[in-house]
Amino acid sequence: MRIALLGGTGDIGEGLALRWAYDTDHEVIIGSRDPDKARAKADEYETELSSRGRDVKINGFTNAMAADRASVVVLAVPPYHVADTIDAVSDSLSEDDLLVTPATGIKREDDGFHYHPPKAGSVTALVTDAAPDHVPIVGAFHNLAAGRLADLDADLDIDTLLVADDPDAKETVWLLADGIEGLRPLDAGGLANASEIEALTPLLINVAQHNDGLHDLGVRFQ
Ligand SMILES: NC(=O)c1ccc[n+]([C@@H]2O[C@H](COP(=O)([O-])OP(=O)(O)OC[C@H]3O[C@@H](n4cnc5c(N)ncnc54)[C@H](OP(=O)(O)O)[C@@H]3O)[C@@H](O)[C@H]2O)c1
């Protein structure tokens, strides 16, 4: 499967790109607003993988060209730029594609990090409003720490919660998540349940900040 990571030059994009390229045979494509930046990051990821004996090709393109080449398109961009990013790639999204959103709205205040959803109710709802009607949306990877994903020496042993209204799209992303070693996908229901998942992320950051040794923590349900 071909996976485009829009904003794959950033933190969560790097983590997902490295894990998919290292653990699976899926083709990873890096998207950026700047194709030179995308190519430079793709080269950097290839070098990291090659140093670990994994020789794979990772290409970098503009976000629209990356989306055009993939059937799974991950919106690895800041939450308040998901709608602009969808607008920039919408002509590249066909009915056979699906959009994955890991984005969550967070506000940093003096007393800690707080969930700060957009008016739509959740970033996932914002994505749903912005996306063409024919493209199914899956929420996933919200509660993962990018640093832990990008460190291929780190064991994950964590869960990721999935929400979607389209069962086939959910199954596709479930399989993609399951392909990452140590990551267990769990079904959290439909898109209406996204805000509860997004709201977990600031909680995790607050816990990480207040407890030694819990930097880059994740969630395991048992
Ligand atoms: N970091 C984490 O641990 C983590 C974990 C789970 C979920 N998430 C979610 O994943 C998303 C990305 O997080 P991140 O930490 O990877 O963010 P980031 O590193 O700050 O940004 C990711 C990429 O977004 C692109 N970008 C920046 N400003 C933009 C704009 N105005 N319009 C369009 N694209 C823009 C940039 O790519 P180009 O400059 O190359 O276009 C950048 O490299 C967020 O929505 C976040 O909530 C993050």
Side-chain angles (χ1 to χ4, degrees), residues 65-194:
M65 288 174 71
D68 200 36
R69 285 163 169 74
S71 55
V72 173
V73 178
V74 182
L75 286 160
V77 298
Y80 294 97
H81 295 295
V82 290
D84 313 345
T85 304
I86 291 170
D87 273 356
V89 306
S90 61
D91 287 348
S92 305
L93 298 172
S94 79
E95 58 194 14
D96 297 328
D97 297 337
L98 64 88
L99 270 175
V100 180
T101 171
T104 180
I106 297 177
K107 194 176 198 176
R108 182 181 194 158
E109 290 176 348
D110 289 345
D111 57 356
F113 290 83
H114 300 283
Y115 183 45
H116 185 59
K119 285 199 180 76
S122 67
V123 181
T124 307
L126 187 65
V127 168
T128 307
D129 291 347
D133 288 344
H134 60 267
V135 181
I137 312 297
V138 181
F141 312 121
H142 304 87
N143 310 133
L144 305 182
R148 185 155 159 194
L149 272 185
D151 176 2
L152 294 174
D153 290 326
D155 288 335
L156 292 182
D157 196 24
I158 48 176
D159 295 332
T160 188
L161 300 167
L162 264 60
V163 283
D165 292 342
D166 181 307
D168 293 337
K170 190 190 275 179
E171 171 77 1
T172 298
V173 179
W174 194 97
L175 290 169
L176 290 179
D178 195 46
I180 295 177
E181 206 177 315
L183 187 62
R184 181 177 65 165
L186 292 176
D187 188 345
L191 292 173
N193 299 344

Side-chain angles (χ1 to χ4, degrees), residues 5-16 30-35 37-38 41 45 61 63 74-82 84-85 88 101-106 123 140-149 201 205 216:
L5 290 152
L6 310 187
T9 53
D11 294 338
I12 193 74
E14 174 173 7
L16 289 171
I30 303 304
S32 169
R33 291 166 296 174
D34 172 356
K37 184 175 171 187
K41 276 291 182 180
Y45 302 160
F61 298 103
N63 284 328
V74 182
L75 286 160
V77 298
Y80 294 97
H81 295 295
V82 290
D84 313 345
T85 304
T101 171
T104 180
I106 297 177
V123 181
F141 312 121
H142 304 87
N143 310 133
L144 305 182
R148 185 155 159 194
L149 272 185
T201 303
I205 300 171
D216 283 347

